[in-house]
Structures are given as C-alpha cells and as structure tokens.
Amino acid sequence: MEFAFAFLILAIVFIAKTFKIVPQQHAWIIERLGKFHAVLSPGLNFVIPFIDRVAYKHSLKEIPLDVPSQVCITRDNTQLQVDGILYFQVLDPRLASYGTSDYLLAISQLAQTTLRSVIGKLELDKTFEERDEINRAVVNALDEAATNWGVKVLRYEIKDLTPPQSILHSMQQQITAEREKRALIAKSEGVKQEQINLATGQREADIQRSQGEMQAAINESEGERQAQINRAEGEAEAIRLVARANAEAIAIIAQAIERQGGPEAVNLKVAEQYIGAFANLAKTGNTMLLPANAADVAGMVATAMNVVQKTK
C-alpha cells in the first residue's frame, strides 16, 4: 500500500517535470545538465525530468521600465532633475539570459548615463525645446548597446525636467516680462490702428465734404447760369412782344389813316397828346421850356400831320 502511494507521488512529480505549459508571449530557457539546450515556445512542451530544467523565463511583451530620477548638468552649468520611462521588448531570449547578468539593470544604468551625456551638450533653454531630440538620442544609444542583450529599445520619454527653485523663479519672471511686453506691443498696435482708422475716416469725411461743397457750387453756378439764361430769354421775349405790339399798333394806325376820316382823327389825337404833354410839364416842374409858337396848337398839329403825310 505504501509502495503504491509512493509510486503515485513519483508519477505525479514525473509528469510535472516532464510536461511544461508555456503561456502566450512568453519564452522559457531550458538548460540540460547546466548547459543551454532550448527555448520553449508557447504551448505544451516536453522535457526530461531531473536532467532538463527551466533556467529563465522571459516575457516577450513590450515592457515599461521606470528610469530613476537623477541630476544632470547642462552646458551652461545648470542642474536639472530628470526622470523618464523606457519601453523595451525581449527579442532574443537566449541573449537576454546569457548576454548580461541583469538586462533590466543594464538598460536602466545605460539610459541614465546616456541622458546625462545628451543633456550635458545642451543649454538649459534647449533642453525644454528639444525633448524629442533628447528622447531619440537616448533610444539610439540604448538600442545599439542592447542588441548584445537580446533586447530592442522601442522608445524613451522624459517625464519631468525640474530646474532649481531659483531658476524656476527667474524663468517665471522672464515669462511674466515677456507677456507684459506682448501686451504692450498689442496695445500700441491697437492704438496705432485706431489712429490710422480715425485719420482715414477724417480724410474720407474731408474728401466727401469738399466734393459736396464743389458739387453745391457747381449746382449753384448752374442755377445762376440757367437763371440768367431764363432772364435773358424773358427780356428778349418781352422786347419781341413790345416790338410786335408797336408794329401792330403802327399797322393799325396806318390802316386807320387810309380810311375815311382818318386824318381828322389823327389830328385830334395829336392835338390831345400835345395839350396833355404841356399839362404834365406844368405839374412836374417849376421851370418849363416852351417853343416860340407854343400857343399855336393848330400849327403844331399841322406840322405833325405833314410828317404823317410824308411818311405815308
């Protein structure tokens, strides 16, 4: 009974030592009698119990490695507290097992050393501006060295760059001064643009006002010219009308003279106008010039009729 129980235990141990189940994205290193024998791939694998042993287990996934914080000196002798994170992947499990005693420690130390070297070549301001360049430089240096360790360095990211407190205070003052400078420049640009707009508006208003005054003067002169034309045309028309009326009156008088009794009527009219003219002279003036024969009305009338007869 005891023999059967011992045999069962031995069988279980034998099976456990013989069958190895490797998880996905993992690689196990098998040593046979202390010497590298094989790399077990994911799935069910068979080994020789008590002769083969699993010496190393590696994950083939992308692994993040936190690089410890360290103090770096820039080119202008400024201290910077720098920390970052490194991403790598095991590509060759055999080299990762036998290429170095501890590839995690080796990668971390090399990352710190490379970072100090890269930052030492840059000034303080450049370290903040060229973080991507620093990351690429660290990755290139690590990837070249990690090839012998069976590791592929994928990327490195700086998490924080912390200068001393005095430097931070100076940087803050510089940023404040720069912001105030930009604010003053923006304000002056605004005032300048406002003055330009006001001058432009005033100039346009003056131009419009002068154009309006010029147009008003033109309109006024056109109106005056048209008024003079209208006035001249009115006077000419009045003269024409008076001349036409006089001509018509003369024609009527001539026709009246041709008729029977016309000369006697003319004599009577002339006599009336003669007497009326002397009457008006007597009313309007104290001094009066009279012809020598002023009392001879019949003679004056005869003279007038003689003129009419000659004209006829």
Side-chain angles (χ1 to χ4, degrees):
M1 187 68 177
E2 292 179 359
F3 178 76
F5 183 73
F7 180 77
L8 179 61
I9 293 176
L10 183 60
I12 293 174
V13 172
F14 182 81
I15 293 173
K17 293 289 185 177
T18 302
F19 299 100
K20 299 294 183 181
I21 299 176
V22 180
Q24 183 66 33
Q25 285 295 92
H26 285 74
W28 291 2
I29 301 298
I30 297 298
E31 291 182 351
R32 178 168 291 177
L33 299 177
K35 182 181 178 181
F36 171 78
H37 174 66
V39 178
L40 298 184
S41 59
L44 182 62
N45 296 272
F46 299 93
V47 298
I48 300 176
F50 306 108
I51 295 178
D52 296 338
R53 74 180 185 92
V54 178
Y56 299 98
K57 295 181 179 181
H58 298 288
S59 174
L60 303 181
K61 300 176 183 178
E62 182 177 333
I63 301 173
L65 177 63
D66 192 8
V67 179
S69 177
Q70 62 176 332
V71 176
C72 300
I73 307 298
T74 62
R75 185 177 178 181
D76 49 356
N77 296 324
T78 302
Q79 293 184 350
L80 278 179
Q81 191 79 19
V82 185
D83 61 349
I85 185 168
L86 182 69
Y87 296 87
F88 70 93
Q89 187 176 17
V90 175
L91 297 182
D92 191 336
R94 180 178 179 179
L95 287 178
S97 301
Y98 304 105
T100 178
S101 60
D102 188 347
Y103 64 85
L104 293 177
L105 179 62
I107 291 174
S108 178
Q109 292 296 321
L110 183 58
Q112 289 180 300
T113 303
T114 305
L115 185 61
R116 286 196 298 268
S117 175
V118 172
I119 290 181
K121 300 176 182 178
L122 300 174
E123 296 181 353
L124 178 63
D125 294 339
K126 293 294 183 181
T127 58
F128 295 99
E129 298 174 1
E130 300 182 2
R131 296 179 67 158
D132 292 339
E133 293 295 331
I134 295 174
N135 294 336
R136 278 193 290 269
V138 172
V139 169
N140 293 334
L142 288 174
D143 194 41
E144 183 179 355
T147 303
N148 298 325
W149 306 332
V151 176
K152 173 67 176 177
V153 177
L154 301 176
R155 60 187 181 276
Y156 177 82
E157 297 291 341
I158 295 177
K159 292 194 297 183
D160 195 13
L161 287 171
T162 307
Q165 194 64 33
S166 59
I167 300 297
L168 284 176
H169 183 67
S170 299
M171 292 174 64
Q172 186 64 39
Q173 289 181 337
Q174 181 180 0
I175 293 173
T176 303
E178 187 66 25
R179 289 176 179 173
E180 292 177 353
K181 175 184 175 182
R182 287 198 297 267
L184 290 175
I185 292 174
K187 183 178 179 180
S188 64
E189 288 292 333
V191 172
K192 175 183 175 182
Q193 189 62 41
E194 180 183 5
Q195 293 176 351
I196 291 174
N197 293 337
L198 290 175
T200 302
Q202 184 64 36
R203 181 172 61 85
E204 292 178 354
D206 292 341
I207 292 173
Q208 292 179 356
R209 184 167 56 252
S210 62
Q211 289 177 349
E213 293 175 353
M214 182 174 66
Q215 188 63 39
I218 292 172
N219 294 337
E220 184 178 358
S221 64
E222 287 292 332
E224 181 64 25
R225 185 174 68 88
Q226 189 63 39
Q228 292 176 358
I229 292 173
N230 294 337
R231 188 161 53 246
E233 290 178 351
E235 292 176 355
E237 184 65 23
I239 293 172
R240 283 195 296 271
L241 292 176
V242 171
R244 188 179 296 115
N246 290 332
E248 291 177 355
I250 293 172
I252 293 172
I253 292 172
Q255 291 176 3
I257 293 173
E258 294 291 334
R259 294 175 184 174
Q260 186 177 2
E264 292 78 5
V266 172
N267 290 335
L268 179 61
K269 187 65 175 176
V270 171
E272 290 178 353
Q273 291 182 352
Y274 183 81
I275 296 171
F278 278 101
N280 289 330
L281 287 174
K283 292 179 181 179
T284 58
N286 295 325
T287 302
M288 184 169 56
L289 297 176
L290 296 176
N293 56 349
D296 189 3
V297 177
M300 292 297 297
V301 172
T303 302
M305 288 304 298
N306 188 26
V307 173
V308 173
Q309 290 295 331
K310 287 181 179 181
T311 304
K312 180 178 177 183

